[in-house]
Amino acid sequence: MRFDILTLFPAAFDSFVTTSIIARAINEKHIEVHTHNIRDWGMGKHRQVDDVPYGGGAGMLLRPEPLWGAIHHVKGLVADDAPVIYMTPQGEPFVQQSAEKMAKAHTRIILLCGHYEGIDYRIRESLVDAELRIGNYVLTGGELPAQIIIDAVSRLKKGVLGDDMSSHEESFSPALKRKKEYPHYTRPAEFQGMVVPDVLISGHHANIQKWREENCSD
Ligand code: SAH
């Protein structure tokens, strides 16, 4: 699976792509993460990308010309119909089912990160295929939302987690009927006077399964 990210701040992805499971997934070629700096399509000597909003008001908006150039460039890198997804608090909520759908339906997605007050509406109308929000709050940019989406989708891809079953039975998964996962315990069996439930130590698989089902929460 390939992710192309359009951002004004590619450096925001440095630690993301060099840390832990995502770094390994990239090294093992399960996923590709490519950042593209929107400023490369900026205008004039100063590579301008933003401007004041028509109608007045605070803050700056990303102008359509650099976004138009950047999006067309990235679309043309691979002959496919990768969707362009804009990160915005006004988008559809991104939930586990969204991650599942993306992991299944696409081999590539293009993630557009806004900044400041957002982007010129004409780009949203003409070149954006879907809009997603990661929660009901406003951040300074789409870089963290893009990382969240890449992370949640990637871990559903075969080979990304060491054990492919790890993403099978967990919170919000169909296997747990979309509920939240049961409590986990590891060694030691007793810690600060708190003990692991007997059933988990019993080795009785049917009972363990039953206990786990009963201890999932809505
Ligand atoms: N003026 C906008 C907010 C702009 S925030 C509004 O009121 O809706 C600046 C950028 O951060 C946005 O363009 C978007 O790319 C990103 N962003 C902020 N909060 C987000 C969220 N909850 N989900 C996804 N992207 C978000």
Side-chain angles (χ1 to χ4, degrees):
M1 175 121 194
R2 171 176 171 142
F3 301 92
D4 285 280
I5 305 147
L6 293 155
T7 171
L8 281 176
F9 301 95
F13 294 84
D14 287 354
S15 65
F16 178 64
V17 298
T18 54
T19 305
S20 187
I21 294 170
I22 294 298
R24 192 183 61 204
I26 293 169
N27 286 337
E28 293 178 356
K29 309 219 179 318
H30 297 302
I31 61 167
E32 287 178 47
V33 179
H34 299 274
T35 54
H36 309 272
N37 194 336
I38 297 165
R39 197 168 291 282
D40 292 347
W41 288 269
M43 297 154 61
K45 208 170 66 195
H46 300 293
R47 300 248 164 241
Q48 187 191 347
V49 291
D50 56 350
D51 218 321
V52 294
Y54 277 115
M60 300 294 272
L61 285 171
L62 297 193
R63 288 179 61 123
E65 306 94 318
L67 293 171
W68 184 270
I71 292 170
H72 280 291
H73 169 80
V74 169
K75 274 177 162 282
L77 290 176
V78 181
D80 61 11
D81 58 352
V84 176
I85 301 173
Y86 175 49
M87 310 292 107
T88 166
Q90 299 155 39
E92 291 288 310
F94 178 75
V95 294
Q96 189 66 20
Q97 283 95 319
S98 332
E100 289 164 10
K101 270 191 212 146
M102 277 187 191
K104 239 191 227 140
H106 302 295
T107 52
R108 182 165 84 114
I109 55 178
I110 299 167
L111 297 165
L112 172 60
C113 305
H115 228 83
Y116 316 117
E117 279 304 312
I119 68 173
D120 188 283
Y121 190 71
R122 288 165 289 188
I123 293 295
R124 293 170 63 185
E125 277 182 319
S126 58
L127 292 182
V128 167
D129 299 300
E131 299 191 328
L132 290 177
R133 73 164 182 271
I134 57 150
N136 293 356
Y137 39 75
V138 179
L139 303 167
T140 57
E143 287 72 19
L144 287 171
Q147 289 172 43
I148 286 169
I149 288 170
I150 295 168
D151 194 297
V153 174
S154 296
R155 68 195 297 290
L156 297 174
K157 284 284 179 182
K158 205 172 158 42
V160 170
L161 298 181
D163 175 355
D164 277 329
M165 290 308 282
S166 323
S167 69
H168 176 68
E169 199 176 273
E170 62 188 350
S171 299
F172 315 119
S173 66
L176 294 189
K177 303 193 178 82
R178 304 280 179 206
K179 292 180 172 188
K180 291 170 203 131
E181 199 183 45
Y182 45 81
H184 287 301
Y185 297 87
T186 183
R187 277 174 285 199
E190 184 178 342
F191 172 71
Q192 301 275 337
M194 296 174 278
V195 295
V196 175
D198 284 339
V199 57
L200 297 181
I201 300 168
S202 68
H204 191 299
H205 289 295
N207 286 353
I208 293 172
Q209 198 53 35
K210 189 165 167 277
W211 182 89
R212 287 181 165 167
E213 274 167 30
E214 286 167 0
N215 284 277
C216 284
S217 52
D218 286 318

